[in-house]
């Protein structure tokens, strides 16, 4: 009876918290409610520092506080969000194992939707050593599972300013792979009665890459392309104008884009700090000059912190609106964007062409494979040479470095080359599994010589265990390794650096032995991502 009574109570609670908001859908370049009314995002970034803001965070030790898991905090803040006049919040990091039901219900009743980033400070795609692997895949799916049950979730960002200049454009291939796989995950849920939720990307405003970035994420197979484009832009500062801020340039460029575009962050504070913001950019954003192209924007940010972008000062259990909160409140109350109905809107824009590889763009159209934990397990169980069980991760780099320097083909299975679009099948696996693959390939290439599986006691010969259910996937992976090895062998002559492909580098987080010089870094493509998740701060 206790179980039945509990179930009944839960059922009644869920019924009483039934969603008041219509789910948002996308058609062409615009958002709509289910009843066909055009939807403009009037949003605010709602999270204490967790990688947002101009430039993002670069500190892997940055801890985050889930903004939707503390009911008392939601009770304090959501009334202020509602009074501000926003209809959307953006979160940068949530705990996929936490209970968000009460906060999401409060937001729903206040008429507020959510756009959530899929990563968190210590587990996202790292612009300096990008990877799309099993651990990230599971994290991102977990966020979708957790928040996707609420109708007031519009969608998710697969990344935030991961590529932020022309030195790390290769990272965009991994974010686009994440976009592809999360769209597929949502699509599979829709096939089983779920609803549409978008997957997009939030880009910074870098003149050298912004066009290539927008084109890359929009081009090609639309199952891999973004559903919406978020633009972090801080060009309207103080007393400015539609043209002085460059907003006119953005409208002109995105007028041909094929999916919704909105400001994922805005609110320059260089003139007078947070309190100096006049919010004339808000008025412009919802004016006829922009609403034909842009679907609104998200102000950065709710909480006043050291970076001085806040709208509200929080002290203990007290949240006090600042002067610029009241200014923004007034501006939002006055905007009346021109709209169209879903029934009368007929999209005409087409996806962009993919950008060519150039000095400012190093991400090919071919993407990293979908992470597959079963494949990684099958591979590791099939090894004849593997790391000893108690090998410390800090010692992996010495082995990676030696093998990839002396037998580049042994590292083909973990090759990650976004510029050429060549990916070994095991770059998705965890560091120990990747090391096992490299050790085994080296051992095999050395004709299974006894001393080829030792490395001063770091490796050992083991009995291979190949399950029949693994045969097909391993055969396919072996073919991919052969292709990557061929590409590896041919890359030396075409390397723009002029360095030999026999050189190699250890992952950034592990110590390098004296024989590993700076010249070795050129072939870090083989092993840089082997420990990429722990290599440093990941970009939300």
């Amino acid at each position: 009876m206790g179980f039945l009574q509990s179930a009944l109570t839960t059922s009644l609670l869920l019924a009483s918290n039934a969603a008041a908001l219509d789910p948002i859908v996308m058609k062409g370049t615009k958002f709509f409610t289910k009843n066909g009314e055009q939807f403009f995002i009037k949003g605010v970034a709602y999270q204490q520092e967790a990688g947002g803001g101009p430039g993002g965070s670069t500190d892997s030790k940055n801890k985050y506080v889930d903004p939707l898991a503390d009911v008392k905090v939601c009770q304090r803040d959501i009334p202020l969000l509602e009074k501000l006049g926003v209809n959307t919040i953006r979160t940068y990091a949530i705990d996929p194992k936490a209970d968000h039901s009460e906060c999401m219900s409060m937001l729903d009743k206040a008429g507020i939707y959510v756009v959530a980033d899929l990563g968190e400070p210590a587990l996202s795609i790292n612009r300096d050593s990008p990877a799309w692997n099993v651990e990230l895949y599971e994290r991102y799916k977990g966020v979708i599972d957790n928040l996707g049950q609420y109708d007031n979730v519009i969608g998710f960002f697969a990344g935030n300013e991961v590529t932020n200049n022309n030195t790390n454009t290769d990272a965009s291939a991994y974010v686009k792979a994440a976009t592809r796989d999360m769209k597929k995950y949502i699509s599979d849920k829709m096939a089983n009665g779920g609803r549409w939720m978008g997957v997009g990307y939030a880009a910074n405003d870098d003149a050298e890459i912004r066009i290539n970035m927008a084109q890359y994420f929009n081009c090609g197979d639309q199952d891999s392309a973004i559903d919406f484009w978020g633009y972090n832009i801080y060009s309207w500062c103080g007393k400015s104008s539609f043209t002085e801020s460059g907003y006119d340039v953005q409208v002109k460029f995105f007028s041909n884009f094929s999916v919704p575009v909105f400001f994922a962050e805005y609110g320059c504070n260089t003139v007078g700090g947070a309190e100096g913001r006049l919010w004339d950019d808000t008025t412009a954003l919802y004016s006829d000059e922009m609403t034909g192209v842009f679907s609104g924007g998200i102000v950065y940010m709710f909480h006043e912190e050291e970076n001085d972008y806040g709208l509200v000062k929080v002290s203990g259990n007290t949240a006090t609106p600042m002067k610029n909160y009241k200014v923004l409140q007034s501006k939002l109350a006055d905007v009346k964007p021109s709209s169209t109905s879903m029934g009368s809107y007929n999209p005409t824009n087409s996806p962009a062409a993919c950008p060519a590889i150039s000095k400012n763009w190093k991400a090919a159209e071919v993407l990293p494979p979908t992470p597959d934990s079963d494949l990684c397990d099958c591979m590791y169980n099939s090894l004849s040479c593997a790391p000893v069980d108690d090998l410390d991760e800090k010692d992996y780099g010495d082995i990676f470095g030696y093998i990839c320097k002396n037998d580049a083909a042994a590292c083909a299975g973990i090759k990650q080359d976004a510029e050429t679009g060549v990916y070994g099948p095991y770059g998705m696996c965890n560091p120990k599994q990747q090391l096992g693959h490299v050790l085994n390939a080296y051992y095999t290439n050395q004709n299974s010589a006894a001393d080829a599986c030792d490395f001063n006691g770091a490796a050992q010969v083991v009995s291979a265990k190949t399950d029949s259910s693994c045969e097909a996937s391993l055969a396919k992976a072996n073919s991919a390794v052969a292709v990557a090895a061929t590409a590896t062998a041919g890359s030396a002559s075409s390397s723009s650096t002029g360095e030999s492909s026999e050189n190699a580098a250890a992952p950034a987080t592990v110590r390098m032995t004296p024989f590993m010089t700076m010249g070795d870094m050129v072939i870090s493509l083989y092993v840089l991502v082997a420990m990429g998740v722990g290599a440093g701060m990941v970009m939300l």
Side-chain angles (χ1 to χ4, degrees):
M1 287 299 293
F3 172 78
L4 291 174
Q5 184 175 7
S6 176
L8 179 60
T9 300
T10 300
S11 177
L12 290 173
L13 178 62
L14 291 174
S16 69
N17 290 334
L21 292 175
D22 278 339
I24 299 300
V25 296
M26 179 192 82
K27 181 180 179 181
T29 64
K30 304 182 189 303
F31 293 119
F32 295 92
T33 63
K34 260 193 170 181
N35 64 13
E37 295 180 0
Q38 187 175 354
F39 179 80
F40 291 92
I41 291 175
K42 299 176 184 177
V44 64
Y46 180 68
Q47 183 144 17
Q48 293 176 280
E49 278 294 341
S57 173
T58 56
D59 182 2
S60 63
K61 296 179 181 178
N62 182 19
K63 303 298 182 182
Y64 73 94
V65 176
D66 186 332
L68 302 180
D70 189 324
V71 176
K72 290 184 178 179
V73 170
C74 289
Q75 289 172 336
R76 180 195 69 196
D77 293 345
I78 290 175
L80 289 174
L81 290 166
E82 185 176 11
K83 289 177 183 177
L84 180 60
V86 300
N87 62 16
T88 306
I89 61 169
R90 176 185 177 183
T91 64
Y92 292 86
I94 66 105
D95 179 356
K97 296 180 181 179
D99 179 5
H100 300 109
S101 58
E102 291 194 60
C103 286
M104 291 300 295
S105 177
M106 282 187 270
L107 287 167
D108 187 285
K109 291 173 181 176
I112 297 173
Y113 292 88
V114 176
V115 178
D117 288 40
L118 291 170
E120 54 104 329
L123 197 57
S124 297
I125 297 171
N126 183 340
R127 66 166 70 110
D128 297 319
S129 55
W132 178 231
N133 56 36
V134 170
E135 188 177 18
L136 292 172
Y137 183 66
E138 294 301 325
R139 154 79 198 185
Y140 288 20
K141 288 195 303 179
V143 173
I144 290 173
D145 287 341
N146 186 297
L147 292 183
Q149 61 189 303
Y150 307 109
D151 283 348
N152 56 329
V153 172
I154 297 173
F156 308 92
F157 284 124
N160 179 68
E161 300 188 15
V162 181
T163 290
N164 67 349
N165 60 52
N166 65 0
T167 69
N168 48 42
T169 57
D170 61 316
S172 287
Y174 300 87
V175 181
K176 191 168 182 179
T179 302
R180 172 201 64 204
D181 293 340
M182 294 305 101
K183 286 184 64 171
K184 176 65 165 56
Y185 190 62
I186 292 170
S187 177
D188 289 345
K189 286 178 174 289
M190 291 175 66
N192 291 309
R195 65 178 182 85
W196 178 87
M197 292 176 288
V199 181
Y201 179 74
N204 69 316
D205 182 31
D206 183 287
E208 289 186 321
I209 63 170
R210 62 190 177 198
I211 292 177
N212 285 337
M213 284 279 292
Q215 292 173 337
Y216 182 75
F217 279 93
N218 182 235
C219 76
D221 181 357
Q222 290 302 286
D223 287 339
S224 302
I226 42 97
D227 291 316
F228 50 76
W229 186 249
Y231 200 32
N232 299 342
I233 183 167
Y234 293 84
S235 62
W236 189 304
C237 302
K239 289 188 176 296
S240 189
S241 69
F242 180 63
T243 53
E244 185 180 345
S245 65
Y247 279 19
D248 60 328
V249 176
Q250 306 305 331
V251 169
K252 182 178 180 180
F253 173 73
F254 285 110
S255 64
N256 294 315
F257 218 55
S258 65
V259 298
V261 183
F262 58 91
F263 288 175
E265 292 176 3
Y266 77 100
C268 175
N269 71 346
T270 60
V271 179
E275 293 290 51
R277 296 188 290 188
L278 306 173
W279 298 119
D280 292 335
D281 41 354
T282 298
T283 301
L285 182 56
Y286 300 98
S287 71
D288 288 347
E289 288 180 304
M290 299 191 69
T291 52
V293 175
F294 282 86
S295 294
I298 297 171
V299 165
Y300 191 80
M301 55 183 286
F302 183 82
H303 304 87
E304 171 66 353
E305 298 190 331
E306 187 177 351
N307 62 9
D308 196 21
Y309 277 91
L311 297 165
V312 174
K313 288 184 177 179
V314 176
S315 177
N317 295 322
T318 302
T320 305
M322 298 164 61
K323 182 181 72 174
N324 81 116
Y325 169 102
K326 297 172 183 177
V327 176
L328 178 61
Q329 181 183 40
S330 175
K331 296 286 187 177
L332 287 172
D334 287 341
V335 299
K336 293 178 176 58
S338 300
S339 63
T340 186
S341 68
M342 184 162 58
S344 63
Y345 169 57
N346 296 307
T348 57
N349 290 354
S350 300
C354 291
I357 298 297
S358 66
K359 68 175 184 178
N360 285 330
W361 194 256
K362 303 293 184 183
E365 189 173 352
V366 177
L367 303 176
T370 300
D372 183 347
S373 60
D374 289 339
L375 174 61
C376 294
D377 291 339
C378 285
M379 175 273 290
Y380 197 79
N381 290 333
S382 72
L383 302 180
S384 297
C385 177
V388 296
D389 292 337
D390 60 352
L391 182 64
D392 196 311
E393 282 195 8
K394 68 181 178 63
D395 294 321
Y396 288 9
D398 292 344
I399 304 172
F400 277 124
Y402 177 83
I403 293 176
C404 296
K405 179 177 181 179
N406 292 282
D407 184 3
C411 293
I414 62 170
K415 180 181 176 70
Q416 306 279 278
D417 190 344
E419 183 175 355
T420 62
V422 176
Y423 300 95
Y426 301 123
M428 67 180 73
C429 303
N430 67 42
K432 184 176 182 180
Q433 291 168 330
Q434 290 192 46
L435 180 61
H437 170 73
V438 169
L439 281 167
N440 192 72
Y442 179 76
Y443 178 60
T444 301
N445 293 347
Q446 300 302 313
N447 299 313
S448 302
D451 60 353
C453 184
D454 182 69
F455 290 88
N456 296 322
Q460 61 184 344
V461 176
V462 295
S463 297
K465 301 173 183 176
T466 304
D467 191 292
S468 59
S469 63
C470 294
E471 291 177 358
S473 60
L474 286 176
K476 184 177 180 180
N478 287 338
S479 297
V481 171
V483 171
T486 301
T488 298
S491 66
S493 61
S494 62
S495 171
S496 62
T497 64
E499 297 282 346
S500 169
S501 66
E502 69 181 7
N503 294 326
T509 53
V510 294
R511 61 189 175 87
M512 293 186 286
T513 51
F515 68 76
M516 298 183 70
T517 66
M518 287 304 294
D520 295 322
M521 289 295 185
V522 70
I523 306 300
S524 62
L525 294 169
Y526 299 125
V527 294
L528 182 61
V529 299
M531 297 179 69
V533 171
M537 173 55 198
V538 288
M539 299 314 302
L540 294 175

